[in-house]
């Protein structure tokens, strides 16, 4: 795996990729892989530039899950269906998953999301509209949601 650091307007995003796709987009440094660049990282960086410039609402870079349970992967795939500028609650997400009793498990799967922004877990909020839980921190979540709402 090769990795690089993307300097976003709300903080560094640490990207990791293999030839098959982007594996990681995290808010904390990756402690594995070699510094470098490949076609996947080049595409991811270009798409992030477009996203932060307000010119991209959906990502096309191929994603590659190298970790995660089948349950987590299903939840992450569900997160990709949340449209740019929209939010849903954790309860709505569990309902879309097909089991409202799994709300805590769904929230935990969101917490384990290895591809922040590309899999938009920042678009999931509390049932009362509050900004809760985000690996990058609430300020980054607020920044991303405001940006997507064109409120910056």
């Amino acid at each position: 795996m090769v990795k690089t650091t993307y300097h976003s307007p709300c903080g560094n995003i640490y990207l990791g990729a293999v030839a098959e796709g982007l594996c990681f987009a995290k808010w904390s440094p990756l402690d594995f892989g070699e510094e470098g660049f490949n076609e996947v990282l080049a595409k991811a960086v270009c798409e992030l530039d477009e996203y932060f410039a307000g010119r991209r609402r959906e990502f096309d870079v191929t994603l590659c899950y190298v970790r995660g349970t089948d349950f987590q992967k299903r939840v992450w795939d569900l997160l990709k269906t949340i449209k740019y500028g929209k939010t849903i609650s954790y309860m709505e997400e569990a309902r879309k998953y097909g089991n409202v009793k799994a709300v805590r498990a769904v929230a935990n799967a969101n917490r384990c999301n290895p591809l922040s922004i590309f899999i938009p877990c920042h678009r999931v909020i509390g049932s009362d509209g509050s900004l809760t839980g985000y690996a990058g921190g609430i300020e980054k979540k607020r920044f991303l949601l405001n940006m997507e709402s064109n409120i910056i």
Side-chain angles (χ1 to χ4, degrees):
M1 184 187 81
V2 293
K3 63 182 180 178
T4 194
T5 303
Y6 179 83
H7 305 287
S8 85
C10 59
N12 289 340
I13 303 170
Y14 300 90
L15 305 174
V18 293
E20 296 79 23
L22 186 67
C23 306
F24 296 99
K26 301 182 77 65
W27 295 104
S28 56
L30 301 174
D31 57 0
F32 48 88
E34 295 183 28
E35 290 293 330
F37 221 65
N38 64 12
E39 289 180 29
V40 174
L41 288 176
K43 184 168 185 168
V45 165
C46 180
E47 290 186 8
L48 284 170
D49 285 345
E50 293 169 352
Y51 170 78
F52 284 109
R55 295 188 315 267
R56 176 171 290 275
R57 292 176 175 229
E58 295 178 8
F59 295 101
D60 299 320
V61 66
T62 301
L63 304 181
C64 180
Y65 300 139
V66 293
R67 295 182 180 165
T69 66
D70 289 342
F71 173 78
Q72 288 171 327
K73 292 173 185 177
R74 284 182 55 206
V75 170
W76 299 336
D77 285 340
L78 179 68
L79 287 168
K80 291 188 287 186
T81 68
I82 306 170
K83 299 291 184 197
Y84 181 96
K86 303 292 182 189
T87 59
I88 66 170
S89 70
Y90 290 97
M91 183 60 76
E92 289 173 272
E93 184 182 7
R95 187 174 296 115
K96 285 183 176 212
Y97 177 79
N99 183 354
V100 294
K101 293 181 180 179
V103 67
R104 287 180 189 238
V106 164
N108 190 52
N110 288 5
R111 184 183 61 78
C112 296
N113 174 11
L115 289 153
S116 192
I117 299 179
F118 294 92
I119 297 177
C121 59
H122 63 277
R123 296 179 186 153
V124 183
I125 60 174
S127 294
D128 62 358
S130 63
L131 301 186
T132 60
Y134 186 61
I138 297 301
E139 286 307 311
K140 286 181 178 69
K141 184 172 190 165
R142 180 176 290 111
F143 178 93
L144 295 170
L145 292 174
N146 286 343
M147 184 189 79
E148 291 184 4
S149 298
N150 297 317
I151 300 174
I152 296 180

